[in-house]
Amino acid sequence: MSNDFSRTLSLLRKERNISQRAAAADLGISQALLSHYEKGIREPGLAFVVRACDYYQVSADYLLGRTMSKDGTVISAEELYDVSEHKDNALRGSVMAQLNKKLMVNTLSLIYGILGRLGDRELILAVSNYFSCALYTVFRSIYSVNKHNLSAFFALEEGAFRGGAVDAAMMWDKTAITLELEKLARDKSAADKLEPLDQKALQREYPALYQSLLQILHNTGGRVNQRLAPQEKKPEKKKK
């Protein structure tokens, strides 16, 4: 069984804020066995998968990592809606590049749709600056492989870039986003503009973009959680 199953099983429990002991009792197994399932140490039988789907109210396809939609809707890369206005400039060659481009463009469009509802100029600027720093860093890092004269293309000196100037600016923009959101949280009119902002509302208001958002959230959350999890040490081979 894929690693997606164990990771999703653990994330579903944490999303509902249920302890491992309580979930195990509800599912009719021991806490130790559930822990093994969530860590991928052991594989469950079909009966447990069915019980887990009923318990967390998700489809088997979602639990097994075959779809990002909890109700079991499966969407392929070709079906992802691309809102880019420059479709004539579509990436060629790499299917992975094309898929990830669609995911990023669609998710950004959804985020800016929400920002547009808020209408906060400072927040929009801070978010845009944050994303711009990420794009600048990636492009400059790729461009530097050519070993060309960077000073002819970039205003920021190479030493400042390598020293983390853009990273520092990005953290400053993240702080600006946090402070602006805290200010909005105290504004009743701003809060009303985002009510309700849950999964059903997002799916209803952004039907063409919602699947891309789910994919980004699922992939990123799973990847980060995997990196945060303590790595199990492999047993050392006995010397002959």
Side-chain angles (χ1 to χ4, degrees):
M1 197 168 289
S2 70
N3 292 332
D4 288 332
F5 171 82
S6 56
R7 183 169 62 245
T8 303
L9 185 66
S10 177
L11 289 174
L12 284 170
R13 178 178 59 79
K14 292 174 181 177
E15 281 179 3
R16 291 180 56 173
N17 197 26
I18 302 172
S19 70
Q20 200 172 67
R21 177 179 295 179
D26 291 341
L27 290 167
I29 60 175
S30 67
Q31 182 180 352
L33 183 55
L34 179 59
S35 176
H36 284 178
Y37 288 165
E38 291 187 353
K39 292 179 179 178
I41 298 174
R42 294 182 62 179
E43 292 188 356
L46 179 59
F48 174 82
V49 173
V50 173
R51 288 202 306 274
C53 288
D54 291 340
Y55 182 66
Y56 291 117
Q57 297 183 336
V58 298
S59 70
D61 280 334
Y62 178 82
L63 191 57
L64 295 173
R66 296 185 67 248
T67 176
M68 298 300 106
S69 178
K70 290 185 178 181
D71 64 5
T73 303
V74 178
I75 186 168
S76 65
E78 293 75 17
E79 293 173 318
L80 281 172
Y81 179 70
D82 188 353
V83 299
S84 172
E85 296 180 358
H86 305 288
K87 294 189 178 181
D88 291 338
N89 295 332
L91 300 178
R92 298 176 182 176
S94 172
V95 175
M96 181 174 288
Q98 183 69 7
L99 171 59
N100 281 282
K101 172 220 170 189
K102 287 184 178 182
L103 292 175
M104 294 293 179
V105 170
N106 293 353
T107 302
L108 281 171
S109 297
L110 190 152
I111 289 173
Y112 276 102
I114 296 173
L115 292 175
R117 287 167 58 179
L118 288 170
D120 187 302
R121 183 178 179 279
E122 296 303 320
L123 178 60
I124 294 172
L125 182 61
V127 170
S128 299
N129 288 342
Y130 182 83
F131 288 142
S132 295
C133 285
L135 294 172
Y136 180 98
T137 298
V138 171
F139 178 77
R140 181 158 181 169
S141 298
I142 294 172
Y143 185 88
S144 64
V145 174
N146 290 326
K147 306 298 182 183
H148 286 210
N149 182 10
L150 296 179
S151 62
F153 200 11
F154 301 103
L156 183 66
E157 293 183 2
E158 179 67 8
F161 176 68
R162 291 186 178 278
V166 180
D167 295 333
M170 196 171 184
M171 291 304 297
W172 180 263
D173 296 326
K174 182 180 178 181
T175 301
I177 292 171
T178 302
L179 293 175
E180 197 62 30
L181 285 173
E182 287 180 353
K183 185 174 72 175
L184 286 173
R186 297 190 293 269
D187 185 350
K188 183 64 167 59
S189 62
D192 290 341
K193 293 176 183 177
L194 293 181
E195 287 291 340
L197 188 62
D198 53 23
Q199 289 192 34
K200 289 183 179 179
L202 288 170
Q203 191 170 18
R204 182 179 63 252
E205 296 184 31
Y206 306 97
L209 311 177
Y210 181 70
Q211 285 292 337
S212 294
L213 173 68
L214 280 183
Q215 188 99 8
I216 291 287
L217 296 180
H218 181 85
N219 291 350
T220 304
R223 185 175 66 252
V224 173
N225 275 328
Q226 191 173 34
R227 291 176 178 175
L228 290 174
Q231 299 296 318
E232 294 184 4
K233 292 183 179 180
K234 296 182 179 180
E236 296 182 1
K237 294 182 179 179
K238 294 182 178 179
K239 295 182 179 179
K240 294 182 180 180

